[in-house]
Amino acid sequence: MEKTFYVTTPIYYPSDNLHIGHTYTTIAADTLARFKRLTGYHVKFLTGTDEHGQKIELKAKEKGIKPKEYVDGIVKNIKELWEKLDITYDYFIRTTDDKHEEIVQKIFQKLYEQGDIYKSHYEGPYCTPCESFWTENQLVDGKCPDCGREVQIAKEEAYFFKLSKYQDRLIKFFEENPEFLQPGSRRNEMINNFLKPGLDDLCVSRTSFDWGIKVPFDPDHVIYVWFDAVCNYITALGYLTDNDEDYKKYWPANVHIVGKEIVRFHTIIWPAILMALGIELPKKVFGHGWILFENDKMSKSKGNVIYPEPLIELYGIDSLKYFLLREFSFGQDGSFSREKFLRRINSDLANDLGNLVSRTVAMIDKYNGGIMPEPKADGEYDDELKDMATSTGYKVEQFMNDLNFGEAIEEIWKLIRRTNKYIDQTMPWVLAKEEDKKDRLDTVLYNLSDSLRIISILIRPFMENTSDSIWRQLGIDSGQGTSWDDVSKWGILPTGVKVRREKPMFPRLDVNKELKKLDKANEEFIKQREGNKEEKEDYITIDDFDKVDLRVARVVEAKKHPNADRLLVLQLEVGDEKRQVVSGIAKYYKPEELVGKDVILVANLKPVKLRGVESQGMVLAASKGKKLTLATVMDEIKSGTKIT
Ligand code: MSP
């Protein structure tokens, strides 16, 4: 039977500031996907972007563009970063893909029809100026986390998912499947902190903003972004469509790799949705630790963000991938430091691996005219090397299956160090001096190379460029004897081929010098990125401005909004046309003061409903602190006149 393997990363929030921490999840998933392909699996490796929600809507608004336009630009950058890191995903899902949106609607409808989703009211702290509901936990000092103003308790109609109904089944599932959530400590956290204390039903729709997938049977509501997002793991496979071969082939996922802060969504909410849909649960969720910077969370405001680009520009992707997966224990937090990174390049890559390759190839050049010799005379130490070389693959496989990348690498490095030791023990330079030791010398050189062949296979999922370079240098550039089965075979490296020395794969670094270089590169990278942004953001073209249709409009009627204290509903005369506009100016103007006044209307703004009342445009105002004044024209002019 065909062996399949389905591995996913979380789908990323569109951000043009993906740092080293973000790349960690994806590099780990990529390495696992590569390993599984190497060991004969048909792999589906899914990644993508999580593009809906109020935050995105607001960011796009700040930039004066549509949310879709905003996310399109950023998703392009994310894909570019994955390309730079040579991430071998098989499918990139965007939650704005039509297919995804349609399937999420089908899922929502199905759960509604079977009674797992029901309509009720959401009650909680509400910030009127921001039009946002918050949870008690999200408040900062009891105030709105966005604008810092007082909040009121308000009620909004919303749909709920019956999460509570699945509590007992989830507990049972956790108990019966100890492998489901790794590492084990996260499992206890979920059981003791969330499942046992009891689950509340989950609010899965919002009406306070628009940017999301509409509830199919009630389009004033958009589906909660986390409900929309977790479904990506099956929508990407064509679940509930006619084209569902991938779903049949790959579901349930073998592993969802996620950061520790989103484990709850993946091991409680997502499984409950799957239970409600009556389909199998993923086999494993791995909640990895965070990469911190000197034990602190990386953040732009703290100025301690490490970006991957300067690191890979200077030291290549293999060094970065190696470091991230070797230095940190995958389940735990770890602290990134440039110095540690550079020191590891020196010790593990330049000293251990790089030296082994260059010494071996240089000796074949020197003692055998650059031709891979045939082994002719076994001797002391050979069996020890051979046994270790041919048994490492098995150990690596065990560790990889447990997503223990660090230990897998450590096993490979044991072999690298052992092979280096073999050089010291057999002393080829001494053998070369004695005529009758030529056979033994050939064998030693061959054994070194054959061990390197095995090493090149073992490191391949982590460092493909380095592995390619070893193949080229050993004269096996089409990869003879390098399938996974070949890791446990000895003596299959082709002989008689020409070896080709290349310049050192990992030149030794002067750490202090490199630290300065790196600091500068990071600074320049940030400057360039910010500079690009400023260029983009500071100017609009006249064509951009022409897109905005500004008109003089006369207020003919003004009333208080029936459902919101801060809003007024204005009836405007715009030439021969009438317009209704809802405006957040109730605190600054009494309705009667406005009648007869001329205001400036953005006439081609897409109509929206603001707390249930349609607004067909927006009136302009200047505001600073507590003061607000409506913009108008200096002299009397006919309403409807275009402002240019
Ligand atoms: N959009 C959600 C996931 C939805 S999945 C259905 C999300 N996106 S994210 O962009 O914020 O995070 C993407 C991944 O990057 C997560 O796995 C997160 O844990 C990881 N990391 C972000 N910063 C990190 C570190 N500093 N260290 C390690 N990984 C962290 O969450």
Side-chain angles (χ1 to χ4, degrees):
M1 216 183 70
E2 201 178 41
K3 298 194 293 183
T4 61
F5 195 83
Y6 183 31
V7 50
T8 67
T9 71
I11 45 174
Y12 285 68
Y13 292 126
S15 148
D16 50 11
N17 282 311
L18 292 195
H19 55 60
I20 200 92
H22 293 108
T23 62
Y24 189 48
T25 314
T26 303
I27 286 176
D30 179 57
T31 306
L32 186 65
R34 286 166 179 269
F35 179 75
K36 286 290 167 183
R37 287 190 201 109
L38 180 64
T39 50
Y41 285 78
H42 287 258
V43 173
K44 181 70 118 188
F45 168 20
L46 175 73
T47 189
T49 39
D50 185 359
E51 304 181 17
H52 291 123
Q54 193 171 23
K55 269 197 200 142
I56 305 280
E57 189 178 85
L58 288 174
K59 278 210 179 131
K61 213 183 219 172
E62 266 169 32
K63 292 189 188 305
I65 53 178
K66 298 225 167 76
K68 182 66 168 57
E69 205 180 318
Y70 171 67
V71 289
D72 280 352
I74 293 179
V75 169
K76 201 175 121 261
N77 297 342
I78 295 182
K79 282 188 173 170
E80 267 170 26
L81 177 61
W82 296 155
E83 205 167 299
K84 272 189 204 155
L85 287 165
D86 200 12
I87 301 299
T88 58
Y89 57 79
D90 297 291
Y91 192 87
F92 190 101
I93 190 165
R94 298 184 53 179
T95 54
T96 50
D97 291 341
D98 290 345
K99 181 174 113 180
H100 171 81
E101 295 195 348
E102 280 159 26
I103 303 173
V104 170
Q105 286 185 323
K106 280 191 200 170
I107 292 173
F108 201 94
Q109 178 104 36
K110 185 171 152 74
L111 297 189
Y112 178 69
E113 280 166 13
Q114 72 190 38
D116 274 305
I117 286 180
Y118 62 92
K119 197 172 192 178
S120 178
H121 283 92
Y122 182 83
E123 197 169 352
Y126 183 76
C127 173
T128 315
C130 297
E131 294 182 278
S132 296
F133 272 99
W134 302 105
T135 63
E136 291 292 344
N137 287 342
Q138 288 170 319
L139 300 181
V140 176
D141 298 330
K143 300 205 171 116
C144 170
D146 268 3
C147 70
R149 282 181 264 212
E150 296 289 340
V151 290
Q152 295 84 42
I153 296 297
K155 242 182 166 187
E156 180 181 291
E157 204 179 60
Y159 288 89
F160 283 79
F161 171 60
K162 278 192 186 160
L163 189 60
S164 57
K165 173 174 154 190
Y166 294 94
Q167 175 177 335
D168 293 342
R169 275 177 67 186
L170 283 166
I171 294 178
K172 190 159 172 268
F173 179 79
F174 266 84
E175 277 164 4
E176 287 171 0
N177 297 278
E179 290 296 301
F180 171 64
L181 172 56
Q182 298 290 319
S185 52
R186 308 223 189 283
R187 203 173 144 250
N188 300 337
E189 189 191 333
M190 288 304 123
I191 297 178
N192 298 332
N193 298 0
F194 296 103
L195 286 169
K196 293 240 161 106
L199 295 174
D200 290 331
D201 288 351
L202 178 73
C203 179
V204 287
S205 79
R206 297 283 189 272
T207 51
S208 48
F209 61 93
D210 256 356
W211 181 237
I213 303 176
K214 300 230 173 307
V215 170
F217 44 87
D218 196 348
D220 281 347
H221 293 249
V222 293
I223 295 173
Y224 174 44
V225 64
W226 268 102
F227 185 96
D228 157 2
V230 284
C231 290
N232 91 89
Y233 302 123
I234 50 176
T235 65
L237 301 178
Y239 173 65
L240 290 185
T241 67
D242 294 338
N243 200 351
D244 65 351
E245 299 83 47
D246 273 354
Y247 171 71
K248 289 185 186 132
K249 185 166 167 186
Y250 290 107
W251 192 256
N254 295 79
V255 59
H256 293 316
I257 298 184
V258 302
K260 64 176 185 180
E261 81 286 11
I262 53 174
V263 161
R264 186 171 64 90
F265 295 97
H266 285 85
T267 58
I268 295 180
I269 295 174
W270 177 225
I273 294 173
L274 291 169
M275 283 174 176
L277 289 171
I279 64 181
E280 269 183 273
L281 269 48
K283 292 188 183 141
K284 190 186 291 210
V285 174
F286 196 103
H288 67 71
W290 272 353
I291 298 200
L292 307 169
F293 181 76
E294 284 164 5
N295 295 317
D296 204 357
K297 219 177 156 183
M298 277 187 243
S299 86
K300 237 170 115 183
S301 57
K302 287 183 198 144
N304 64 359
V305 177
I306 307 272
Y307 292 103
E309 286 88 345
L311 295 170
I312 57 180
E313 198 106 316
L314 288 169
Y315 310 106
I317 53 177
D318 285 15
S319 306
L320 179 66
K321 289 184 188 182
Y322 172 81
F323 177 73
L324 290 178
L325 296 176
R326 171 68 186 87
E327 180 73 21
F328 307 112
S329 172
F330 196 48
Q332 271 131 46
D333 289 353
S335 194
F336 186 94
S337 107
R338 295 192 180 102
E339 194 171 332
K340 273 198 251 171
F341 172 62
L342 296 167
R343 291 201 187 284
R344 252 201 202 279
I345 295 184
N346 272 350
S347 63
D348 301 10
L349 301 182
N351 273 5
D352 294 345
L353 178 60
N355 259 346
L356 176 61
V357 178
S358 55
R359 282 165 94 190
T360 304
V361 180
M363 289 191 291
I364 296 175
D365 257 346
K366 191 165 170 194
Y367 304 132
N368 205 43
I371 304 295
M372 184 63 69
E374 241 174 73
K376 298 183 197 93
D378 291 347
E380 209 188 347
Y381 313 113
D382 291 8
D383 281 347
E384 209 187 308
L385 177 67
K386 180 177 143 185
D387 288 349
M388 183 160 186
T390 51
S391 62
T392 301
Y394 174 76
K395 294 184 200 150
V396 169
E397 189 160 11
Q398 305 303 309
F399 284 124
M400 288 302 276
N401 286 338
D402 289 341
L403 279 79
N404 193 339
F405 301 102
E407 288 297 326
I409 291 178
E410 180 51 28
E411 283 304 321
I412 305 172
W413 253 252
K414 277 186 198 158
L415 174 61
I416 292 173
R417 290 192 289 263
R418 178 69 196 85
T419 313
N420 269 321
K421 192 169 152 204
Y422 179 79
I423 302 184
D424 301 337
Q425 289 169 324
T426 53
M427 295 187 284
W429 53 92
V430 174
L431 298 174
K433 283 188 190 136
E434 296 173 40
E435 224 17 48
D436 62 335
K437 295 282 169 51
K438 178 69 173 104
D439 283 357
R440 178 66 189 140
L441 174 64
D442 282 355
T443 308
V444 166
L445 297 180
Y446 182 85
N447 286 347
L448 286 172
S449 305
D450 208 29
S451 184
L452 267 177
R453 172 189 61 82
I454 291 179
I455 291 164
S456 76
I457 309 170
L458 297 172
I459 61 168
R460 205 161 173 78
F462 303 92
M463 320 168 82
E464 186 170 301
N465 296 323
T466 309
S467 168
D468 279 345
S469 163
I470 298 177
W471 291 3
R472 284 193 305 270
Q473 300 197 54
L474 294 180
I476 49 165
D477 35 343
S478 50
Q480 303 95 311
T482 56
S483 74
W484 184 254
D485 284 345
D486 297 330
V487 287
S488 52
K489 294 183 191 147
W490 188 251
I492 61 166
L493 180 74
T495 57
V497 294
K498 184 124 190 56
V499 299
R500 266 168 274 128
R501 247 176 122 171
E502 292 184 355
K503 59 179 186 358
M505 295 186 292
F506 302 100
R508 239 195 114 70
L509 304 169
D510 175 332
V511 173
N512 288 331
K513 250 201 212 153
E514 296 300 320
L515 276 174
K516 286 192 194 117
K517 215 159 119 191
L518 247 177
D519 267 346
K520 208 165 147 224
N522 209 42
E523 249 173 55
E524 265 166 27
F525 174 78
I526 293 171
K527 229 198 262 164
Q528 193 192 349
R529 177 170 277 190
E530 298 296 317
N532 283 348
K533 254 200 230 158
E534 268 165 32
E535 249 170 56
K536 272 194 224 138
E537 284 167 12
D538 273 0
Y539 299 103
I540 59 166
T541 64
I542 190 75
D543 293 341
D544 292 329
F545 178 74
D546 274 348
K547 285 188 199 154
V548 187
D549 186 13
L550 296 175
R551 301 280 171 166
V552 176
R554 177 150 306 161
V555 181
V556 289
E557 188 190 309
K559 279 192 179 149
K560 286 189 169 165
H561 190 291
N563 311 319
D565 296 345
R566 76 178 184 101
L567 301 176
L568 290 185
V569 182
L570 310 177
Q571 302 302 329
L572 305 177
E573 172 202 279
V574 191
D576 299 334
E577 234 189 280
K578 294 264 175 293
R579 284 289 182 98
Q580 170 173 289
V581 167
V582 179
S583 178
I585 53 174
K587 246 178 39 202
Y588 310 96
Y589 292 99
K590 294 200 179 82
E592 56 277 17
E593 283 172 359
L594 292 171
V595 177
K597 290 269 175 2
D598 284 341
V599 290
I600 313 283
L601 170 74
V602 182
N604 59 344
L605 203 63
K606 191 176 167 196
V608 283
K609 268 199 180 158
L610 292 176
R611 315 233 45 210
V613 176
E614 176 154 292
S615 180
Q616 304 150 331
M618 177 174 91
V619 293
L620 298 185
S623 74
K624 188 158 198 243
K626 288 187 176 156
K627 190 161 167 61
L628 179 143
T629 178
L630 280 168
T632 182
V633 281
M634 281 178 81
D635 295 308
E636 171 84 33
I637 195 163
K638 198 172 167 336
S639 81
T641 304
K642 189 166 169 63
I643 296 172
T644 54

